[in-house]
Amino acid sequence: MDMDGVLVYEDSIVPGADEFIEELKSNNTPFAVITNNSIRTPRDLRARMLAIGLDIPEESIWTSGLATATFLSDQRPGGTAYTVGESGLTSALHEAGYILTESDPDYVVVGETRMYSFEAITKAIQLIAKGSRFIATNPDASGPSPNGPLPATGSVCALISNATEKDPYFVGKPNPLMMRTALRKIGAHSGHTVMIGDRMDTDIIGGLESGMKTVLVLTGISTKESIETYPYRPTTVMNSIAGLVGRTQHPFDD
């Protein structure tokens, strides 16, 4: 399941999310909470959710930073990278055996951050122009805030792409790669797994292309009206995660 817009919304728990998670635990149902936000580590995210009353084990959290580090470790073990991002990304790369450097890195990796530095973006452009491969944690162009949309990874990548004429490889949702690594993490098969999300353009299409059934909840980005603008549909639509409480074993039964 996605995190923001599904389990939490602007630092508040979505009603029913705690009951849903506890039901999964009591049924011994494996699950993963996946997020495109690479700012925080799983430990940080667990602490954030505990503070609002949601008990998610650290090992059940899968971020785009972790997925990116796993991908790069598989592609080029022990490689080097220059990062534009925060601890959720840099820690994941360190743990994957990567060296972070500004000197001729194998990859430039762009992730989410609270404050994008002009100097860091300039360095990323220069390194890509010299031949470093361009990787990004996720394609989200904007993120929510109490005052309106904020620029996110996809917007910064568009700036770098325009300057370098190089497009990044996005690891996070909707890339099925992130879904499949999460499936492997919990030892699950796509044919017996459900993806729950609040966005048609990341969660639902990512789940669909990974072979999973999908549940769209209306507590985040997508609305009943916006569903009709897409050429694909979720398996079912629910007002919130609370609609799955008591139905975790048979989510699609009427």
Side-chain angles (χ1 to χ4, degrees):
M1 70 205 77
D2 186 30
M3 184 176 67
D4 291 297
V6 176
L7 301 176
V8 298
Y9 186 78
E10 292 186 0
D11 293 324
S12 297
I13 188 171
V14 172
D18 51 347
E19 297 174 65
F20 175 71
I21 293 297
E22 291 308 314
E23 185 174 321
L24 291 177
K25 291 179 183 176
S26 66
N27 291 335
N28 293 316
T29 301
F31 67 92
V33 176
I34 62 177
T35 175
N36 263 356
N37 195 315
S38 63
I39 290 177
R40 298 180 177 91
T41 66
R43 184 175 299 176
D44 296 334
L45 290 172
R46 170 168 166 74
R48 173 197 173 198
M49 288 186 279
L50 270 177
I52 60 173
L54 201 54
D55 186 3
I56 306 289
E58 186 178 331
E59 61 271 17
S60 296
I61 299 171
W62 190 242
T63 70
S64 63
L66 289 172
T68 299
T70 300
F71 168 73
L72 292 181
S73 181
D74 288 342
Q75 290 281 302
R76 188 180 289 263
T80 58
Y82 174 76
T83 62
V84 179
E86 298 204 22
S87 61
L89 176 59
T90 57
S91 295
L93 287 168
H94 272 304
E95 290 173 9
Y98 258 62
I99 296 171
L100 303 186
T101 179
E102 296 183 9
S103 177
D104 192 27
D106 297 318
Y107 299 98
V108 168
V109 186
V110 178
E112 212 72 60
T113 179
R114 298 176 184 88
M115 185 176 295
Y116 287 101
S117 157
F118 180 79
E119 289 77 12
I121 292 171
T122 300
K123 174 60 71 173
I125 290 169
Q126 292 169 347
L127 291 171
I128 292 168
K130 290 178 181 177
S132 296
R133 300 158 187 84
F134 189 8
I135 300 289
T137 58
N138 66 290
D140 301 51
S142 64
S145 83
N147 298 318
L150 295 173
T153 306
S155 293
V156 176
C157 287
L159 184 159
I160 296 172
S161 292
N162 282 335
T164 61
E165 298 184 348
K166 300 286 186 181
D167 292 325
Y169 180 70
F170 292 109
V171 176
K173 298 178 294 180
N175 190 340
L177 177 69
M178 183 168 179
M179 302 292 192
R180 289 172 184 152
T181 53
L183 284 166
R184 287 198 298 271
K185 181 177 173 62
I186 62 173
H189 187 280
S190 59
H192 304 288
T193 308
V194 176
M195 176 62 201
I196 308 164
D198 71 304
R199 293 186 64 142
M200 289 289 290
D201 58 345
T202 56
D203 305 317
I204 301 306
I205 190 171
L208 179 71
E209 291 183 349
S210 300
M212 291 183 273
K213 290 187 176 181
T214 57
V215 175
L216 178 75
V217 294
L218 302 176
T219 47
I221 300 296
S222 293
T223 64
K224 284 184 177 179
E225 292 73 26
S226 67
I227 294 171
E228 302 304 323
T229 67
Y230 292 89
Y232 51 88
R233 295 184 62 84
T235 308
T236 193
V237 179
M238 294 186 174
N239 289 328
S240 77
I241 197 80
L244 286 168
V245 174
R247 301 173 57 184
T248 55
Q249 298 297 296
H250 305 283
F252 302 108
D253 289 352
D254 294 328

